[in-house]
Amino acid sequence: MVNLREVIVKAVVEGLRVASILLPPDVKEALRRVYEEEVSPAAKAQLEAVLRNVELAERLRAPICQDTGLITYYVRAGARFPALDVVEEALVEATRIATKEIPLRPNSVDPITGRNPGDNTGRYTPVVVWDSIDPKGDYLEVTIVPKGGGSEYVAVFTMVPPGRGLEGVKEVVLDAVVKAGAMPCPPTIIGVGIAGTVDMAVHLAKKCAVIRKVGSRHPEPAVAELERKLLEMVNELGIGTMGMGGRTTALAVHIDYAYRHPATYAVAVVFQCWAARRATVTIKPTGEYSITQ
Ligand code: SF4
C-alpha cells in the first residue's frame, strides 16, 4: 500500500525546489513585457538584471534570490483524501529536508530568544493555512509560497472610516506604496483585502499578492475596474523598478473582499516582490502527483 506521508514529503520537497528556482510563467511574461515597454534607462537596466537573474537561476538550478523566504503552505484538500491526519507533520518534514537539500537559507527565528533552529521550522512555522475543504474531493493540493522578508516587511493594515469607502481604500494603497518605496523590490504584485475583520482582510490581501496569477482579473467587473484603476495610479507614482523610476512600480493590483460589519472597514495591503515564487503540488490517493506553477 502506498505511504501517502512519504509521498507528500517527496512531492513538497520537489515543489519547493521548483518554487525556489523557477519563476512562474505569468510573472516572467509580465517582467518581459514591462522590460520591453520601459523607457527610463536606469529602470530598464534594473529590469535587464532581473531577467538575467531569472535566466541564470534556471540554468544553474540555483534559488532566484538569496532570501529564500519564510515558507507558507496553502492547503486545499478533499475531505476524502485518505491521509489528512499526517499532512501538517509531512509539511514540516518536507521543509527540513528542502532546507538542507536545495539548500534554502535558514530564515525562521524565535522572536523571544533570537534562536534560529537552522531548518526553517519552529512554532507555527512553516505557516500552514487550511484554505478550503472540498467535501467530495479525494486529492490534496498544496500551494507552496516561499516569500522574502523585504516585501513582507512593508505590509499594511488599517481601519478606514466606513464613510470613506473605496476612496479610503485608494488612499491606503497609494500611501502604502509610497512608504514602501524600493523596500519590496519592485515591480511588485500588490494584494488588497477589504473585510469586516482584521484577520480576513490580511488573509485576502496575502492570497491576492502571492497566489493569484498576474494577468487575472477579479470576476466582478466593478472590482476588476478598481484593480485596473489602482494599478494605473500606483504606476503613475514613478517609484519604478528597484526604486529607480520609470513606468512600472507594480505588475498588478489584485483585490478581494468579504462582507463587513457596518462599523468596520478593514483594509490590508500586502506586497509580493518581483521574485514572486510559488508552485502547487497536487497529490492523488494513489500516490501520483503533479507540480504546476
Ligand atoms: S524582496 Fe524579494 S527580491 Fe527582494 S531581496 Fe527579498 S526575496 Fe529577494
Side-chain angles (χ1 to χ4, degrees):
M1 207 173 124
V2 60
N3 182 330
L4 281 171
R5 188 185 184 284
E6 279 174 16
V7 173
I8 298 168
V9 172
K10 183 168 181 282
V12 171
V13 170
E14 232 175 277
L16 251 168
R17 192 184 301 276
V18 168
S20 303
I21 295 173
L22 307 172
L23 209 54
D26 56 298
V27 182
K28 250 186 348 190
E29 173 56 35
L31 286 169
R32 284 200 194 106
R33 178 178 46 79
V34 298
Y35 169 74
E36 293 302 331
E37 291 168 2
E38 187 54 76
V39 288
S40 149
K44 205 165 176 95
Q46 290 293 325
L47 281 166
E48 197 176 329
V50 162
L51 288 167
R52 175 109 180 96
N53 185 347
V54 171
E55 194 191 300
L56 276 173
E58 269 177 37
R59 187 139 51 84
L60 303 173
R61 307 293 294 171
I64 296 167
C65 183
Q66 40 76 31
D67 183 353
T68 51
L70 203 65
I71 295 148
T72 298
Y73 297 112
Y74 289 91
V75 181
R76 290 181 61 231
R80 295 182 188 160
F81 183 73
L84 287 175
D85 56 330
V86 295
V87 169
E88 293 216 19
E89 62 186 56
L91 293 177
V92 172
E93 191 179 332
T95 306
R96 286 202 178 104
I97 294 171
T99 300
K100 217 167 153 189
E101 285 186 358
I102 294 175
L104 304 174
R105 196 172 78 181
N107 279 331
S108 81
V109 179
D110 182 329
I112 311 299
T113 64
R115 179 181 162 269
N116 184 333
D119 59 7
N120 280 311
T121 70
R123 187 172 162 82
Y124 300 126
T125 310
V127 180
V128 179
V129 181
W130 286 88
D131 201 20
S132 70
I133 296 280
D134 170 358
K136 293 194 181 133
D138 64 355
Y139 59 88
L140 178 74
E141 189 183 285
V142 182
T143 296
I144 302 163
V145 180
K147 184 167 188 287
S151 62
E152 193 70 4
Y153 192 89
V154 288
V156 162
F157 165 76
T158 191
M159 282 284 178
V160 168
R164 295 281 298 132
L166 293 178
E167 285 311 305
V169 174
K170 285 182 197 163
E171 262 172 40
V172 171
V173 174
L174 294 177
D175 197 45
V177 175
V178 170
K179 284 197 181 119
M183 176 78 106
C185 292
T188 55
I189 300 164
I190 299 171
V192 182
I194 306 169
T197 62
V198 178
D199 50 334
M200 183 53 92
V202 174
H203 173 64
L204 293 175
K206 181 81 177 253
K207 275 180 62 178
C208 281
V210 302
I211 292 186
R212 248 180 74 184
K213 290 195 174 171
V214 178
S216 65
R217 278 279 164 254
H218 194 281
E220 294 172 31
V223 184
E225 175 54 21
L226 187 60
E227 290 177 342
R228 191 199 61 75
K229 184 73 200 151
L230 262 171
L231 178 61
E232 197 179 288
M233 292 164 92
V234 164
N235 283 335
E236 275 167 9
L237 293 171
I239 294 165
T241 299
M242 298 296 182
M244 302 299 278
R247 297 174 73 153
T248 308
T249 300
L251 300 172
V253 174
H254 295 155
I255 302 173
D256 205 357
Y257 71 93
Y259 277 29
R260 65 181 180 86
H261 184 282
T264 62
Y265 204 119
V267 181
V269 184
V270 174
F271 294 80
Q272 176 61 295
C273 60
W274 68 260
R277 292 153 286 183
R278 65 173 132 77
T280 299
V281 172
T282 308
I283 302 167
K284 293 184 186 168
T286 55
E288 290 166 272
Y289 65 86
S290 59
I291 301 172
T292 52
Q293 279 187 295

